[in-house]
Amino acid sequence: MLTSKGTIQGYNGVATVDKKHQIIVDAQAFGEGQEHHTLKPVLGRVENRFERLNIDASIYGKGLIITADTGFANEANNEFLKKNRINAYIPDNQFRQRDPKFKDQKAKYGKRHRDTVKGQKSVIPASEFTLNVTKKTCHCPAGNEMWLHSEGTTTGGKLKLSFEGKLTDCRHCPIKTDCMRNPASADTRHGHGRQVAFTIDSGKTATDWMKKRVDSAKGKLIYSHRMSVVEPVFGNIGTNKGLNRFSLRGKDKVQGQWQLYCLVHNIEKLSRYGRIGLH
């Protein structure tokens, strides 16, 4: 699977847990490092299982609430949840920064990530560049117009515009040493001028819809329960059962190993706290 450290041979175990009993209702192994793509197949399998066992034809209309961590948040998943009217709360990775309760967290505990890479030169920030969203143009602090390098959308569905300074402008610019981390790059015909990117929030995406749900008082209350629902399950399997990593190769074998450990977790729950009735 592809990770931030390169491509490694590995699998990611995903489990769906109910809040009341902490029973695993679905367990799957995926061969990708990211979790975005796993939401739809996981929900689909849970719904099919409930229908096949005559528990319920639809799991979404009975007051069901779905929560997941930020790894599952992207525009496609939020659009899927909104379109199907699924009562879900999946925050983006900036939701803590919007919460006033966490405004003093960095001052108290320190920053989790550095603002700049150690040893990296600081340059004129993007806020000093003049952007015209309507015309999709940008002017650098020296007043030169930059060319639109690329236009696309982020995982949150926002418009992203990337600009680059013209070589002829950056090469002879009097402030290029303050504007570029590598000013010499503009001195060659195959080099690059100053690059800058902007993310434009239209406020009309499915991600914005999800943000409003998560940032509401009800959303904060609901999502606060997720930590006590699913994390103890992973703690039991990883720490008590010793499954810190998969020991087999091949998706079928890894899937079997993951589901076996999840099955042991469920049996343990039933033996200690549950009752098995005969019908």
Side-chain angles (χ1 to χ4, degrees):
M1 64 182 179
L2 185 63
T3 69
S4 60
K5 297 182 180 180
T7 302
I8 62 174
Q9 185 176 8
Y11 293 87
N12 188 22
V14 178
T16 308
V17 183
D18 83 308
K19 177 182 177 181
K20 186 175 182 179
H21 306 288
Q22 288 186 323
I23 292 292
I24 300 174
V25 297
D26 183 72
Q28 298 185 57
F30 296 91
E32 290 83 10
Q34 300 295 326
E35 297 173 323
H36 298 153
H37 69 287
T38 65
L39 182 67
K40 294 180 184 179
V42 166
L43 293 180
R45 279 193 46 161
V46 173
E47 187 172 29
N48 292 337
R49 181 176 291 110
F50 273 51
E51 184 178 0
R52 187 175 68 252
L53 298 176
N54 294 323
I55 298 176
D56 206 322
S58 176
I59 62 174
Y60 303 128
K62 303 295 182 180
L64 180 75
I65 299 175
I66 296 173
T67 60
D69 63 23
T70 57
F72 293 86
N74 68 356
E75 178 65 15
N77 285 342
N78 290 331
E79 184 65 34
F80 167 76
L81 296 170
K82 182 179 180 181
K83 182 179 179 180
N84 292 276
R85 298 183 178 181
I86 299 175
N87 191 15
Y89 294 85
I90 305 178
D92 60 287
N93 58 7
Q94 302 293 323
F95 80 108
R96 294 294 189 199
Q97 297 183 16
R98 298 191 301 270
D99 193 337
K101 293 181 179 179
F102 293 88
K103 66 178 181 178
D104 299 326
Q105 188 175 24
K106 289 183 179 180
K108 185 176 181 180
Y109 299 103
K111 294 183 179 181
R112 185 177 179 183
H113 303 288
R114 295 189 298 268
D115 292 335
T116 58
V117 179
K118 185 177 181 180
Q120 190 176 73
K121 175 185 174 182
S122 60
V123 295
I124 298 175
S127 58
E128 298 296 324
F129 290 70
T130 305
L131 173 68
N132 188 317
V133 179
T134 305
K135 297 182 179 180
K136 296 181 181 179
T137 60
C138 180
H139 289 78
C140 71
N144 298 315
E145 184 175 357
M146 308 174 73
W147 64 281
L148 182 61
H149 181 270
S150 64
E151 177 181 350
T153 56
T154 65
T155 55
K158 299 178 182 179
L159 176 65
K160 184 176 182 179
L161 301 176
S162 299
F163 296 89
E164 183 174 335
K166 300 176 183 178
L167 280 177
T168 53
D169 293 332
C170 293
R171 184 173 300 162
H172 306 290
C173 182
I175 61 173
K176 74 173 183 178
T177 55
D178 297 324
C179 188
M180 300 179 63
R181 289 195 172 93
N182 182 19
S185 176
D187 296 336
T188 63
R189 60 180 300 183
H190 299 294
H192 295 279
R194 169 63 193 270
Q195 298 175 349
V196 63
F198 299 91
T199 301
I200 294 90
D201 189 352
S202 63
K204 300 179 181 179
T205 64
T207 299
D208 294 307
W209 166 78
M210 182 59 72
K211 284 182 180 180
K212 292 181 180 179
R213 292 175 58 83
V214 173
D215 292 344
S216 65
K218 180 180 178 181
K220 292 177 182 178
L221 178 63
I222 291 175
Y223 189 74
S224 65
H225 292 281
R226 194 199 72 86
M227 184 68 71
S228 61
V229 173
V230 68
E231 296 304 333
V233 175
F234 286 108
N236 179 38
I237 295 176
T239 303
N240 297 336
K241 303 297 182 292
L243 186 64
N244 294 319
R245 62 178 61 190
F246 295 116
S247 59
L248 302 176
R249 291 189 176 185
K251 186 174 181 179
D252 292 339
K253 293 180 180 179
V254 171
Q255 181 93 320
Q257 185 180 23
W258 176 234
Q259 291 179 347
L260 179 61
Y261 272 83
C262 292
L263 178 62
V264 171
H265 168 86
N266 286 349
I267 293 175
E268 185 179 50
K269 279 284 185 178
L270 290 172
S271 65
R272 292 185 176 181
Y273 310 109
R275 293 181 179 179
I276 301 178
L278 299 177
H279 299 282

